[in-house]
Amino acid sequence: MTQPAQAQALRGTAVAVDGDSLEVGGTRIRLFGIDAPEFDQTCKRNGETWSCGKSAKDQLAALVAGQEIECQGQGVDQYGRVLAVCWAGRDELNEAVVTQGWAVAYRDFSDAYIPAETRAKASRLGIWSSTFALPSAYRLSKLEPAPAPVPESLARPMVKAQPPTWTGGCAIKGNRNRRGQWIYHLPGMPYYDRTRAEEMFCTEAQAQAAGYRRAIVQ
């Protein structure tokens, strides 16, 4: 029986949702530290297009078929999925998927699977036998265009931007992404340096008062 997600430990039979996601007893799990092609993503091999995202899911399904899966949670992502390292018996699934060439190491969150990726790439296994877009780049390409500007009369109240500083002052970046989410990033967070600040805040309280939520860090 699957334990509550809050316990951060889950056990049970699993169903593959895509190449790096499982469902265990009704709980969605995202395999931590790896990134597989999206289910609808395609790759090219010898000039031919093939459904590498579907193949990645099929490979994960084969790894978990008939097995009792044990997962140790590392947190929860923005979609409510438990981020976890999972095992089928003695085999760690996260590493196995990368080793077989069906996912890349997700460097934004972990360096643990870079050696496995290097070996799979050298042996041209799985997606490494093809040309492909990194899954993260593919997801960005699928985002809808930014929405039209909101009329000033309907716009949310704004806190005046403060000049950035790295000396303990106003260094919190507020950003409105293409999904319409209002998120703030603190110095040291994974996406801080890549985030384009639309507003700067001195404190988290200021950012929250302006309608932003803190970025989820895994």
Side-chain angles (χ1 to χ4, degrees):
M1 180 177 178
T2 302
Q3 299 178 22
Q6 291 86 343
Q8 296 294 294
L10 302 102
R11 183 190 297 269
T13 56
V15 175
V17 177
D18 55 32
D20 53 27
S21 302
L22 298 168
E23 186 170 299
V24 179
T27 298
R28 285 290 183 97
I29 295 173
R30 173 68 158 82
L31 296 179
F32 176 76
I34 74 172
D35 204 13
E38 296 298 308
F39 183 75
D40 63 349
Q41 188 171 348
T42 58
C43 303
K44 280 196 172 182
R45 182 167 53 201
N46 300 324
E48 298 289 331
T49 299
W50 62 289
S51 300
C52 53
K54 182 179 183 301
S55 293
K57 175 188 174 181
D58 292 344
Q59 295 299 319
L60 181 57
L63 286 171
V64 303
Q67 302 272 358
E68 182 173 68
I69 306 304
E70 182 176 350
C71 297
Q72 185 62 46
Q74 308 290 318
V76 177
D77 72 6
Q78 60 182 324
Y79 304 109
R81 300 174 298 186
V82 176
L83 293 163
V85 178
C86 298
W87 292 263
R90 295 182 178 180
D91 297 325
E92 184 191 311
L93 293 175
N94 307 49
E95 184 171 18
V97 173
V98 178
T99 296
Q100 293 180 8
W102 296 105
V104 299
Y106 207 169
R107 289 166 171 78
D108 287 346
F109 300 105
S110 175
D111 295 334
Y113 303 106
I114 293 176
E117 178 192 287
T118 301
R119 293 192 297 271
K121 184 177 181 179
S123 299
R124 297 182 60 81
L125 299 177
I127 58 176
W128 296 109
S129 65
S130 307
T131 56
F132 63 93
L134 287 175
S136 56
Y138 177 78
R139 288 191 295 272
L140 283 175
S141 73
K142 299 287 284 185
L143 291 177
E144 295 180 0
V150 178
E152 186 175 352
S153 60
L154 301 177
R156 298 164 71 175
M158 305 285 284
V159 172
K160 184 178 180 181
Q162 300 292 332
T165 173
W166 290 93
T167 57
C170 304
I172 300 174
K173 293 182 177 181
N175 174 266
R176 296 182 289 280
N177 66 24
R178 293 183 180 180
R179 297 179 182 175
Q181 299 170 321
W182 293 45
I183 300 172
Y184 66 88
H185 300 256
L186 302 175
M189 284 184 168
Y191 294 102
Y192 183 87
D193 291 337
R194 283 187 264 169
T195 297
R196 178 177 62 85
E198 293 169 304
E199 298 184 71
M200 299 295 296
F201 303 98
C202 298
T203 67
E204 291 189 72
Q206 287 180 348
Q208 291 165 5
Y212 291 81
R213 65 165 176 80
R214 185 172 181 168
I216 298 172
V217 179
Q218 312 301 345

